[in-house]
Amino acid sequence: SNRGPASFQGSGAQLAVIAYDSISGFTSSNLNGGAPKGLTFANDEGDSDGYGGGFGAAECIPDYASDVGDLPASGTTSINLSNFDSADSGNKHYGGLTMSGSLNNGFRANIFIDGDLTITDNITYATTNWGSLDEIPSLHVFVSGNINIRSNVETITGMFVAQPKSGVTGSGVIDTCFNGTSPLMNSCGTRLVVNGSLTAKEVKFRRAIGSIRDENNQDTPGSSAAAEVFSLTPEQWIVRPQKKPAETGKTPYDFITELPPLL
């Protein structure tokens, strides 16, 4: 939305933008005065529209499904995250699933789903009044299939990954406004705020609230013109659950993360 001193209109990011292929019509480093491509990386060499980068090829995302190992899949098909607490932390494995609820203090989980995930209602923190690092919850969801977000959902919190499922055509997609078996654009007028990240082979941004005519110069994430807003807040990378059980006699890390380059 009117990004940077040159007033580049449309969608963009305050920090870096990384893509496996080309980037067009999406700016980076907006509020740092670097638009349209001040922090654009890893797309191809195409630069005819001014949004290029030519940083070189990016690696594909890891095969998170392989981390399931021998963990058996639960027969549960619907979970309310509000029912989990710190004692329920760890790795969980399900088939196709519906999900909603709030993240209670101390609950940290990797949820692996072999099938589609449908998010039926908001996923939020139960509270953000944390007294210690141990109280901060963490949710990482790895789906071999699709992630469908219902149109009534306004907030989701956590890291959500959709990978293609072997032998299933059209899988590995995240749809931000999906009802039943088909997208209904006339019911997608609610803003979606993602406190975390979405990773997929393809993300279909279907929310349709606001317009370029509603925006202002150097809009912040709270802009009324934005249909989908992403906020990668510090607690998302400060804490995360173990991906695999700790070895006998060894203490697991409190947290671990890969630091980005200094941008």
Side-chain angles (χ1 to χ4, degrees), residues 116 144-146 162-174 201-202:
D116 292 345
S144 295
N146 297 326
Q163 295 186 173
K165 183 176 174 62
S166 178
V168 179
T169 303
S171 59
V173 175
I174 297 178
K201 179 181 179 181
E202 179 183 5

Side-chain angles (χ1 to χ4, degrees), residues 177-255:
C177 187
F178 196 90
N179 288 337
T181 59
S182 62
L184 300 173
M185 293 300 291
N186 61 354
S187 65
C188 296
T190 300
R191 177 176 295 103
L192 175 65
V193 177
V194 179
N195 293 315
S197 63
L198 302 180
T199 303
K201 179 181 179 181
E202 179 183 5
V203 180
K204 296 181 179 180
F205 296 104
R206 297 193 189 273
R207 300 297 172 112
I209 187 173
S211 170
I212 289 179
R213 66 173 177 268
D214 300 322
E215 65 186 2
N216 298 299
N217 188 44
Q218 292 190 322
D219 275 335
T220 64
S223 167
S224 61
E228 281 111 350
V229 176
F230 290 80
S231 179
L232 188 59
T233 50
E235 64 270 15
Q236 296 293 326
W237 55 266
I238 288 176
V239 298
R240 61 174 301 163
Q242 298 170 237
K243 294 198 70 176
K244 296 181 179 178
E247 295 181 47
T248 302
K250 294 185 178 181
T251 302
Y253 292 109
D254 291 326
F255 65 92

Side-chain angles (χ1 to χ4, degrees), residues 36-235:
K37 59 175 183 177
L39 291 174
T40 298
F41 300 100
N43 58 310
D44 67 12
E45 297 291 342
D47 196 19
S48 60
D49 58 5
Y51 296 91
F55 187 67
E59 294 183 5
C60 293
I61 63 174
D63 181 11
Y64 292 105
S66 64
D67 290 330
V68 174
D70 296 328
L71 184 66
S74 167
T76 300
T77 58
S78 179
I79 61 173
N80 184 340
L81 295 166
S82 304
N83 295 327
F84 297 133
D85 58 25
S86 58
D88 300 303
S89 296
N91 296 319
K92 301 180 183 300
H93 188 195
Y94 299 93
L97 193 68
T98 63
M99 180 186 295
S100 63
S102 56
L103 305 176
N104 290 314
N105 284 4
F107 173 66
R108 300 179 182 179
N110 289 303
I111 296 179
F112 298 91
I113 298 173
D114 186 12
D116 292 345
L117 167 66
T118 300
I119 300 176
T120 57
D121 210 333
N122 292 343
I123 298 175
T124 61
Y125 292 121
T127 177
T128 55
N129 294 322
W130 301 305
S132 69
L133 186 67
D134 291 338
E135 292 185 356
I136 303 176
S138 175
L139 178 66
H140 291 67
V141 181
F142 306 102
V143 176
S144 295
N146 297 326
I147 299 177
N148 298 318
I149 305 171
R150 291 291 178 88
S151 62
N152 60 290
V153 176
E154 298 180 2
T155 304
I156 61 174
T157 301
M159 171 183 173
F160 297 85
V161 177
Q163 295 186 173
K165 183 176 174 62
S166 178
V168 179
T169 303
S171 59
V173 175
I174 297 178
D175 194 324
T176 67
C177 187
F178 196 90
N179 288 337
T181 59
S182 62
L184 300 173
M185 293 300 291
N186 61 354
S187 65
C188 296
T190 300
R191 177 176 295 103
L192 175 65
V193 177
V194 179
N195 293 315
S197 63
L198 302 180
T199 303
K201 179 181 179 181
E202 179 183 5
V203 180
K204 296 181 179 180
F205 296 104
R206 297 193 189 273
R207 300 297 172 112
I209 187 173
S211 170
I212 289 179
R213 66 173 177 268
D214 300 322
E215 65 186 2
N216 298 299
N217 188 44
Q218 292 190 322
D219 275 335
T220 64
S223 167
S224 61
E228 281 111 350
V229 176
F230 290 80
S231 179
L232 188 59
T233 50
E235 64 270 15

